[in-house]
Amino acid sequence: MDTIFLALRVLVSLAAVLAVIWYVQRRWARGRGAGHRKDIRVVSRQGVGSKASVAVVEVDGTRFLLGVTEQSVNVLNATPLQQPELQAVPTAPGFARILDLQQAQVSQSNAQHAAPVDPLRVEPSAAVTVLPTRRQVRSSLQRERAAGPFAGSILSPDTWRQAGAALRQAR
């Protein structure tokens, strides 16, 4: 009987310790995220010496080139980002025709029971949407993953891929 109570006390104590660890981790992560600004983004970082590097940072629509050493951070260059102009998306020439045919079909079926018009029939000159290839999608996903919190550090998977590629080229 004593062993059952001992086992229950151990399980309850373990659950309490795990709950405290979980709570502290959540609290620490939330507090850490509140101090960081969302509009600051490190685009890239490249080491130029043992204790010096160059970083490209975007802040509020401006891209800064920073020289970073142990003692200081210097702005080497600042350029405003050009915002891409939004362009109207052209509609396919067959889309308007499909709508007209559907409206005509509804009015004809209401007036008299005529043969249905095929609304999905589109001229061969209709615009075709070109989708990206799998390779393009994968490379864009890899770039997005590389821009995470470990970008440019030894913990980044992209750093290890580059090191492996450099070793393979050296052979």
Side-chain angles (χ1 to χ4, degrees):
M1 189 72 173
D2 288 334
T3 58
I4 293 174
F5 285 125
L6 181 63
L8 284 174
R9 281 191 351 196
V10 167
L11 287 176
V12 168
S13 300
L14 180 63
V17 168
L18 290 176
V20 168
I21 290 172
W22 176 80
Y23 176 76
V24 168
Q25 186 272 337
R26 295 275 297 189
R27 187 88 163 155
W28 181 75
R30 189 176 310 136
R32 188 172 156 227
H36 293 288
R37 292 180 50 177
K38 298 283 184 195
D39 56 349
I40 297 176
R41 187 170 72 98
V42 177
V43 176
S44 67
R45 186 178 183 126
Q46 180 67 43
V48 293
S50 63
K51 297 181 181 181
S53 64
V54 177
V56 178
V57 179
E58 283 182 9
V59 179
D60 294 331
T62 305
R63 190 171 273 189
F64 294 97
L65 178 65
L66 303 176
V68 181
T69 64
E70 276 188 344
Q71 293 82 18
S72 66
V73 176
N74 297 318
V75 177
L76 304 176
N77 190 8
T79 57
L81 291 175
Q82 281 92 18
Q83 297 295 329
E85 293 182 17
L86 297 177
Q87 298 176 355
V89 177
T91 58
F95 184 72
R97 182 174 176 267
I98 290 172
L99 287 177
D100 291 340
L101 290 175
Q102 284 180 342
Q103 288 176 352
Q105 181 181 9
V106 168
S107 63
Q108 284 179 358
S109 65
N110 289 342
Q112 57 185 353
H113 297 292
V117 179
D118 185 13
L120 299 178
R121 195 165 166 185
V122 180
E123 294 100 22
S125 65
V128 176
T129 303
V130 178
L131 297 175
T133 64
R134 284 185 182 186
R135 178 175 284 166
Q136 291 169 335
V137 171
R138 268 193 224 121
S139 66
S140 68
L141 288 174
Q142 287 174 351
R143 281 193 300 271
E144 288 176 12
R145 276 190 232 126
F150 299 119
S153 74
I154 196 165
L155 300 175
S156 170
D158 194 41
T159 302
W160 288 99
R161 277 190 220 101
Q162 290 175 356
L167 289 174
R168 282 190 293 274
Q169 285 178 354
R171 288 186 198 170

